[in-house]
Amino acid sequence: MGIHENLLGGPPPTHLPDDPEPRELLASGAAPADVAAKYPTSSLAWAQLADDAFDGGRVVESYAYARTGYHRGLDALRRSGWKGHGPVPWEHEPNRGFLRALNALARAAQAIGEQEEYERCSTFLRDSSPLAADTLS
């Protein structure tokens, strides 16, 4: 029995394919805007832009970046067989860009008073990966 096997019969965990180039560029100090322009499907680049904007007090900008990363991540999840629910493990590093974007979207939604979106995204994050929810909060 595998470590990620769901004994309750739910969907298996979704593991996004690795896309190391954006991650390596960001780790080397490349500007997130440059990485997002070169790799526009990278949720990680958009999540970093969202985090930087939020840290700089640009909440609406953070919301927009986070929403872009979130939707890019949903596209990637669907291409990987995700059916709209089920685990998206934080432990699988390629999933972290999507999970970070989802967290950033929840955070920005809360900051602008969009309570329903905050609650939806927070629940989605916890349902996808309790470890991500705990790590990112």
Side-chain angles (χ1 to χ4, degrees), residues 8 14 25 36 40 51 53-54 58-59 64 66 71 74 78-79 82 85 89 105 110 115-116 121:
L8 300 176
T14 301
L25 284 170
D51 288 346
F54 193 86
R58 300 181 316 277
V59 177
H71 281 286
L74 288 177
R78 289 181 185 115
R79 282 192 304 274
W82 184 76
H85 66 285
L105 183 55
Q110 183 180 41
Q115 189 63 24
E116 286 183 28
C121 291

Side-chain angles (χ1 to χ4, degrees), residues 2-107:
I3 191 168
H4 292 291
E5 187 172 337
N6 186 337
L7 299 177
L8 300 176
T14 301
H15 295 100
L16 293 174
D18 197 14
D19 190 12
E21 293 85 7
R23 186 175 62 244
E24 291 167 0
L25 284 170
L26 290 167
S28 73
D34 293 341
V35 178
K38 186 171 183 177
Y39 298 97
T41 61
S42 171
S43 288
L44 181 61
W46 293 107
Q48 187 62 55
L49 284 166
D51 288 346
D52 292 350
F54 193 86
D55 291 345
R58 300 181 316 277
V59 177
V60 172
E61 187 179 323
S62 177
Y63 184 96
Y65 287 138
R67 181 151 303 278
T68 301
Y70 165 76
H71 281 286
R72 292 299 189 146
L74 288 177
D75 292 343
L77 285 168
R78 289 181 185 115
R79 282 192 304 274
S80 294
W82 184 76
K83 302 293 185 206
H85 66 285
V88 182
W90 175 260
E91 297 86 345
H92 182 66
E93 189 169 3
N95 290 350
R96 291 183 182 181
F98 167 72
L99 295 167
R100 284 184 53 195
L102 180 56
N103 180 70
L105 183 55
R107 179 187 60 209

